[in-house]
Amino acid sequence: LWVTKAIPYFATSLLVPVLVILLRLLGDLSAQETAVLALDAIFNHVSILVLGGFAVSACFSRCEVESHVAFFLQRHLGRAPRLFMLSVMLLGMLLSMWISNATAPVLVLSVILPTVRDISSREYARALLMGVAFACNIGGMLTPIASPQNIVALAALQVRGYGISFGRWVITALPFGLAACLSAWLVLILPLCATPLPPLPCAKPAQNSKRAALSTTRRAAMLAATVCAIVLWSSISLTRDTIGDLGVVSLAFMVVAFAAGFLSQADLNSFSWHLLVLIGGGNVLGGAVRASGLLTLIADHLSPLLCAHAWPAVAELVALLLLVTTFISHTVAALILMPLIAQVGESVVGRPELVVLLCTFACSGAMALPMSSLPNAAVLLAEDDLGRPYLRSSHFARYGLPVSVVTAALILTLGFYLASQFW
């Protein structure tokens, strides 16, 4: 149902625990014991971490950080359109890193779309829009809260008794992400090298009533609290004995944000609760598949096909994931395959953290079709003043396929080297 989209994703996720309980898929347990285990798995510490990411996103949006940064870049780089494209891509990547790659492309598009509509070169406008999508896909690799597939991957490791700290994830992913973003930019600008590009039209930063109602002191306090939460997330390996879990930081930040009036009940209601339901359904499904022994069975049959050495095994899994996630969404692929990859990483390679992390990068690296990811789908909807779309599927295939191949090569070279320093 997740693959065919016969019913909404979240509806399928809600159906999972019902079937698990009715079919007694958690082992030799009573209906009551099965129900308790299944329902407890729907909302856990990973879900709380995601809630904290939503709160950070809401605070950045309330302060209009992305709007003012984009205006600054346009004012200083408007006469160099190619460098402006790189700066917008880096902005999208960094925003995705902290406020999720589902939210970041929408925010960046809202800022640059008026400029895009005034650009005379339609080819450059297409490249700029695809640059936003590709950068946000890459940004979705950079922190545990940056994309749903990262959360699913962490949950798959957690179930097997392993984990990746926030700081180690960022230290490993950030250099890789910068290299991948630069590579994607080069792929996009190469066809434009022979074309003279005029300076970009001037623009002014957007203003809205919410920002106008915030004083400078209040905005500074909101941003300071947000930065503190990010620092605590990043340094959890140093403070785990005191704080205990990333979810505790999320809860503390949300208490401060709502109690101080930075965020309101309307902001809480606007969080992507359907995403939390999707993650919860994946947690229950993963527990059921694990309890049934299906993962072990598949891993036993898959093991002879994989090399026991880390790099060849990762290369085979990355190729498989890039193929699968090109045709189904990154999140759905992670929900289905990450528990299996964690099992294979443990039983075949013996380095589950390395295998899962690099395969999670590969989940976000498939960009050849518009419906492969949320950022791709977001930019596909961009239209000019006459209601004509800028992008078609052929444009994604033309640019997204080479970007996907280059990203896979970086995963197997730079990404593998960086991850090998820790695992």
Side-chain angles (χ1 to χ4, degrees), residues 68 104 108 161 235 321 324 336 367:
H68 287 272
V108 177
S235 60
L321 277 167
V324 171
I336 296 171
M367 313 178 204

Side-chain angles (χ1 to χ4, degrees), residues 135-337:
C136 289
N137 282 319
I138 294 166
M141 308 174 188
L142 302 188
T143 66
I145 61 171
S147 65
Q149 50 267 29
N150 297 2
I151 302 297
V152 172
L154 280 180
L157 281 174
Q158 183 77 22
V159 165
R160 312 198 71 81
Y162 300 96
I164 301 175
S165 71
F166 199 101
R168 283 191 176 184
W169 187 303
V170 174
I171 291 171
T172 304
L174 186 56
F176 164 79
L178 290 171
C181 189
L182 181 61
S183 300
W185 173 69
L186 289 174
V187 170
L188 289 168
I189 66 166
L190 281 178
L192 300 174
C193 287
T195 306
L197 298 175
L200 300 177
C202 296
K204 296 181 180 180
Q207 300 285 339
N208 65 38
S209 58
K210 288 185 177 180
R211 182 188 178 279
L214 294 175
S215 65
T216 302
T217 303
R218 197 168 182 80
R219 288 198 302 275
M222 184 187 297
L223 290 175
T226 305
V227 170
C228 285
I230 292 171
V231 170
L232 287 173
W233 276 333
S234 303
S235 60
I236 190 64
S237 59
L238 303 176
T239 59
R240 191 176 297 277
D241 291 340
T242 302
I243 296 176
D245 188 83
L246 293 171
V248 177
V249 178
S250 294
L251 287 175
F253 174 70
M254 286 189 288
V255 169
V256 171
F258 287 104
F262 297 157
L263 301 178
S264 65
Q265 182 178 339
D267 294 303
L268 181 64
N269 294 338
S270 69
F271 288 172
S272 299
W273 292 98
H274 65 283
L275 176 58
L276 293 176
V277 172
L278 183 65
I279 294 170
N283 291 340
V284 178
L285 180 62
V289 172
R290 191 170 49 257
S292 70
L294 180 60
L295 283 182
T296 303
L297 180 64
I298 295 176
D300 289 342
H301 284 80
L302 188 60
S303 298
L305 305 177
L306 294 175
C307 181
H309 299 288
W311 192 90
V314 169
E316 292 168 346
L317 291 171
V318 165
L320 172 65
L321 277 167
L322 282 174
L323 178 63
V324 171
T325 52
T326 296
F327 297 100
I328 66 174
S329 81
H330 298 169
T331 303
V332 171
L335 285 166
I336 296 171
L337 296 177

